[in-house]
Amino acid sequence: MAMTFKEEILQGIPAILPPKIKDLESTNRAPKRKDILTTSEKQLAIKNALRYFPKAWHQELAVEFASELIEYGRIYMFRFKPKHKIYARAISEYPAKTKQAAALMLMIQNNLNPDVAQHPEELITYGGNGAVFQNWAQYLLVMQYLAIMTNEQTLHLYSGHPMGLFPSSKNAPRVVVTNGMMIPNYSKPNDWEKFNALGVTQYGQMTAGSFMYIGPQGIVHGTTITVMNAFRKILKPDENPNGKIFLTAGLGGMSGAQPKAGNIAGCITICAEVNRKAAIKRHQQGWVDILIDDINILVQITKKAQENNEVISIAYIGNVIDVWEKFDKENIFIHIGSDQTSLHIPWTGGYYPADLSYDKANILIKENPDLFKEKVQESLVRHAKTINNHVKKGTYFFDYGNAFLLEASRAGADVMDTNNIDFKYPSYIQDILGPMCFDYGFGPFRWVCASGNQKDLDKTDEIAALVLRRLMKKAPSEIQLQMQDNITWIENAKSNKMVVGSKARILYADAEGRIEIAKAFNKAIKNKTIGPIILGRDHHDVSGTDSPFRETSNIYDGSKFTADMAIHNVIGDSFRGATWVSIHNGGGVGWGEVINGGFGMLLDGTAEADKKLKNMLFYDVNNGIARRSWARNDEAIFAIKREMERTPNLKVTLPNLVDENHLKNLF
């Protein structure tokens, strides 16, 4: 007799060796990783994998795992993928002793839902390598641990591996997550390849390895805000983006949000994607209007859309370099341009070279990685050259925090400023989100309705809109635009049909907004108007991430290469009430280039939850504002002074500003 879902969860590693899986379900498979281990290291990888299983199985599994390592460059343990369907069930359906543990189980399954995850068979949620776990044994054990956990235990996860349940307290986080936390000198791209292949670390991206990914919706809002404000920078006050072009690339995980955001912003979005299956998936999900694989037809449709001032999103199945070059020849004006391919992993399928098919490129990654790297760098030089041509015509180009300019510079492309230190193009943080949002404390606050009920999501949308409208009445002029953009967003969220997987929502809010919305949710839960709510955020936020080429690129006091803020953030959240906390190396711009942290918090309608949410959400935001104000960012100085006026208990060290004339002729 087949086991029930609950029975399968409770058993963890099965007592009887399951049969080998012949055919894997998903057609969208992760790139095959390079053959990087020596013979002795491959033996160690097998030895590491076998320690999850009883000795009686080792002989059979050793052969199978060796085959996986040779074929895929990783040991995923496909045989142990559970039979139950993986998706976000209602919180009441999980076999857990605490609601907090059940909330985590819900979020884990949402991150691995085939409708949400980029490469579900390999437990990768987005970004080409953003893993929830390294292998299926880890999934089975973690779900079992969560099922038996009490509210006086904490589960510690080391890069997907459940080290175990340890005694703690009711006030402690139920789970502490780390991903890829390497000794600094072992944090180069090949180190990830090696140690991930050995089965001792993983790349958690930003929200995959912390179980807080909610599908492309998670970035639609931030992308919408970015695109809207990019057009505001270049258009006259009485102009709108209708018929204006936003050209970019990437339709995989996070990048899949771009065409939907372009539609909301009201422009023509052209998004190139080399992976046909990824483009088709986004089209089927309604995230992009039309698919085109003929560049000449793309030109015709684009010109017509410009003439008619249309709002439309187009997925071009092909390389974005070809689009930039073709539009240059056809003299099609691109108003704003960017790129959101996964250049944090440029040598393993994050960026595909021009003049090489997708399938041939994937073969080259495995069989001749050095040649693949050479071709990627050649394409980056070519990519930058055609962008430069458009910028001379007036295109506004910005780096979208995917390490495009960083890797282009390393390839020798013409992307450096005249001082040969800075890039000639700003990142979107430097020009848009940093001064307009992060410095004021506005960042991606998100929630998940743990009931799985659409009515709960509708009610939370209504509650959030009411709270924001109330707060806007007394908000200072400096943040009126941010408030209005988010009110408009939340009031139209349902009609934009952005839910994939769990019943989730996102908006940008400052500390006051997050706390007031969360309090209103908790009150509604107490009154049984809605079910439990799971709070969280993208790590791409005010405090959570230290990333010199993205989140903290508008920090100019020399500290943008430090990671104190992210570490303090995760530690500070952990003792202020978070249900779980996470800290990662890598994510967004690449392994060794960023440290980022996040949290999850369950609201259950109790007075205890009310106290925790006020304490934790306040620190989670203001930690970053304090750091940004110390860096002398004007908007952050304004925000932290305002917060200290509202909160007598808050005392922050403020900078004394220096007259530049005092620095002249000193050296």
Side-chain angles (χ1 to χ4, degrees):
M1 181 181 290
M3 300 179 79
T4 65
F5 168 67
K6 292 183 179 180
E7 288 171 340
E8 198 170 5
I9 291 295
L10 288 166
Q11 78 167 342
I13 302 292
I16 300 173
L17 182 64
K20 186 176 181 180
I21 295 177
K22 293 182 180 179
D23 298 311
L24 298 170
E25 294 178 11
S26 176
T27 56
N28 191 17
R29 303 299 305 282
K32 295 178 181 179
R33 311 301 181 181
K34 66 172 70 172
D35 183 5
I36 198 169
L37 301 182
T38 65
T39 299
S40 62
E41 287 171 338
K42 288 175 181 175
Q43 292 171 336
L44 179 58
I46 302 300
K47 189 177 179 181
N48 288 343
L50 292 174
R51 57 186 162 178
Y52 286 102
F53 308 103
K55 285 186 177 182
W57 301 355
H58 285 188
Q59 185 172 355
E60 181 177 348
L61 291 180
V63 175
E64 184 175 322
F65 291 165
S67 177
E68 285 187 17
L69 189 59
I70 293 168
E71 175 70 12
Y72 304 107
R74 298 291 187 273
I75 301 172
Y76 296 112
M77 307 180 185
F78 294 120
R79 180 195 291 250
F80 293 93
K81 182 183 178 183
K83 290 184 173 60
H84 59 254
K85 288 186 177 180
I86 298 179
Y87 65 96
R89 293 162 167 79
I91 193 170
S92 58
E93 294 183 38
Y94 290 94
K97 294 181 179 179
T98 76
K99 279 188 178 180
Q100 291 183 325
L104 276 144
M105 297 167 86
L106 183 161
M107 295 303 292
I108 288 170
Q109 290 208 310
N110 188 63
N111 274 234
L112 292 172
N113 179 345
D115 290 337
V116 175
Q118 184 182 17
H119 305 301
E121 302 293 344
E122 292 84 4
L123 303 106
I124 291 171
T125 302
Y126 69 95
N129 63 346
V132 182
F133 301 108
Q134 295 178 60
N135 56 60
W136 286 105
Q138 291 177 350
Y139 168 84
L140 296 177
L141 283 173
V142 167
M143 294 295 279
Q144 182 188 43
Y145 275 132
L146 291 171
I148 64 175
M149 169 192 287
T150 72
N151 62 5
E152 292 188 341
Q153 289 176 304
T154 294
L155 175 61
H156 289 261
L157 297 182
Y158 285 38
S159 289
H161 170 68
M163 193 57 70
L165 290 172
F166 290 80
S168 57
S169 73
K170 292 180 180 180
N171 292 324
R174 295 282 69 83
V175 176
V176 174
V177 179
T178 57
N179 282 298
M181 298 306 292
M182 306 297 294
I183 302 299
N185 284 348
Y186 298 88
S187 207
K188 294 180 174 60
N190 272 347
D191 293 323
W192 168 68
E193 294 281 0
K194 175 181 176 179
F195 292 106
N196 191 208
L198 283 173
V200 295
T201 196
Q202 71 174 10
Y203 195 101
Q205 269 288 352
M206 302 193 86
T207 53
S210 59
F211 323 134
M212 193 43 72
Y213 187 68
I214 58 170
Q217 179 190 176
I219 197 174
V220 170
H221 178 260
T223 306
T224 300
I225 295 294
T226 301
V227 173
M228 285 170 55
N229 284 296
F231 277 115
R232 283 170 178 163
K233 286 180 71 68
I234 65 169
L235 299 180
K236 296 175 182 178
D238 58 343
E239 283 187 291
N240 65 48
N242 297 174
K244 314 293 193 301
I245 293 176
F246 168 43
L247 175 59
T248 184
L251 283 171
M254 301 295 276
S255 59
Q258 295 180 104
K260 172 68 80 172
N263 280 358
I264 297 170
C267 63
I268 301 168
T269 306
I270 300 166
C271 194
E273 171 58 60
V274 294
N275 183 346
R276 180 177 292 271
K277 291 174 182 175
I280 291 171
K281 180 178 179 179
R282 293 299 175 222
H283 183 250
Q284 290 174 340
Q285 290 177 333
W287 293 80
V288 63
D289 296 328
I290 57 175
L291 298 173
I292 297 174
D293 58 9
D294 185 317
I295 200 162
N296 293 313
I297 294 176
L298 174 65
V299 168
Q300 293 172 15
I301 291 177
T302 301
K303 287 182 176 179
K304 181 181 177 183
Q306 281 186 308
E307 291 171 6
N308 297 330
N309 287 328
E310 292 181 31
V311 176
I312 191 172
S313 57
I314 304 166
Y316 172 67
I317 303 172
N319 200 293
V320 73
I321 296 174
D322 295 328
V323 182
W324 282 103
E325 291 179 341
K326 183 71 171 178
F327 281 18
D328 190 16
K329 291 178 182 176
E330 296 286 338
N331 205 28
I332 295 175
F333 182 69
I334 299 167
H335 293 79
I336 62 173
S338 194
D339 186 273
Q340 214 174 93
T341 52
S342 298
L343 269 158
H344 61 281
I345 46 168
W347 325 129
T348 55
Y351 179 93
Y352 284 80
D355 300 330
L356 198 62
S357 73
Y358 177 70
D359 291 334
K360 288 182 179 179
N362 281 328
I363 293 171
L364 200 62
I365 290 171
K366 182 174 176 59
E367 295 185 354
N368 195 338
D370 290 338
L371 180 58
F372 181 80
K373 179 177 179 179
E374 182 180 320
K375 287 187 171 296
V376 164
Q377 291 191 315
E378 288 174 356
S379 285
L380 282 168
V381 171
R382 181 175 156 189
H383 196 162
K385 181 179 179 181
T386 185
I387 288 170
N388 290 340
N389 289 342
H390 283 274
V391 170
K392 289 175 184 176
K393 299 177 183 180
T395 297
Y396 170 54
F397 182 85
F398 59 90
D399 185 288
Y400 217 150
N402 65 330
F404 172 75
L405 291 178
L406 180 64
E407 289 301 335
S409 69
R410 290 169 175 170
D414 180 16
V415 295
M416 301 306 296
D417 200 359
T418 52
N419 63 15
N420 209 33
I421 298 173
D422 302 314
F423 297 128
K424 65 165 65 176
Y425 304 120
S427 81
Y428 72 116
I429 299 293
Q430 289 174 295
D431 252 16
I432 301 168
L433 285 191
M436 294 190 66
C437 294
F438 290 175
D439 285 352
Y440 284 121
F442 284 81
F445 180 57
R446 59 180 60 168
W447 63 89
V448 175
C449 297
S451 65
N453 192 324
Q454 179 63 41
K455 290 182 180 179
D456 280 7
L457 185 58
D458 294 344
K459 187 62 179 177
T460 59
D461 286 348
E462 179 186 325
I463 291 170
L466 286 171
V467 169
L468 291 179
R469 285 204 172 276
R470 172 170 56 83
L471 294 177
M472 187 177 175
K473 291 179 181 179
K474 62 176 183 177
S477 59
E478 286 84 351
I479 61 172
Q480 285 285 323
L481 180 63
Q482 291 88 328
M483 297 290 290
Q484 185 57 60
D485 280 348
N486 281 283
I487 290 168
T488 302
W489 165 267
I490 197 65
E491 290 181 339
N492 292 289
K494 184 178 180 179
S495 63
N496 289 324
K497 298 178 181 179
M498 293 177 294
V499 172
V500 178
S502 61
K503 302 299 182 185
R505 188 68 75 220
I506 186 172
L507 57 75
Y508 270 33
D510 60 6
E512 183 181 22
R514 299 182 206 204
I515 291 169
E516 291 301 315
I517 291 170
K519 282 168 56 181
F521 288 169
N522 203 47
K523 182 178 180 180
I525 297 165
K526 180 182 178 181
N527 295 336
K528 302 189 184 307
T529 305
I530 58 174
I533 297 291
I534 302 165
L535 300 181
R537 59 163 168 75
D538 195 339
H539 299 197
H540 171 67
D541 198 6
V542 181
S543 300
T545 297
D546 280 300
S547 179
F549 300 108
R550 198 163 83 175
E551 282 78 2
T552 46
S553 60
N554 70 319
I555 299 291
Y556 302 108
D557 67 349
S559 71
K560 69 179 181 179
F561 294 99
T562 65
D564 300 88
M565 181 176 70
I567 300 300
H568 275 272
N569 193 249
V570 72
I571 294 172
D573 285 358
S574 71
F575 63 77
R576 286 181 170 88
T579 303
W580 72 95
V581 291
S582 60
I583 190 79
H584 304 174
N585 167 24
V589 296
W591 182 263
E593 305 286 359
V594 52
I595 300 295
N596 66 89
F599 75 87
M601 172 180 274
L602 178 69
L603 299 183
D604 58 5
T606 62
E608 183 182 29
D610 216 44
K611 182 179 178 181
K612 286 181 175 180
L613 74 86
K614 295 172 189 174
N615 205 12
M616 199 221 73
L617 293 176
F618 182 88
Y619 175 76
D620 188 65
V621 174
N622 282 295
N623 167 49
I625 300 178
R627 185 267 178 98
R628 293 168 182 276
S629 70
W630 185 241
R632 296 183 290 269
N633 290 15
D634 291 339
E635 295 84 359
I637 293 173
F638 166 85
I640 205 66
K641 283 182 176 179
R642 176 172 176 253
E643 195 62 80
M644 284 192 284
E645 289 174 3
R646 295 193 312 121
T647 312
N649 237 6
L650 177 66
K651 306 294 180 185
V652 170
T653 308
L654 294 175
N656 291 296
L657 303 182
V658 178
D659 186 334
E660 295 289 330
N661 290 321
H662 296 327
L663 308 178
K664 294 178 180 178
N665 304 317
L666 290 177
F667 305 102

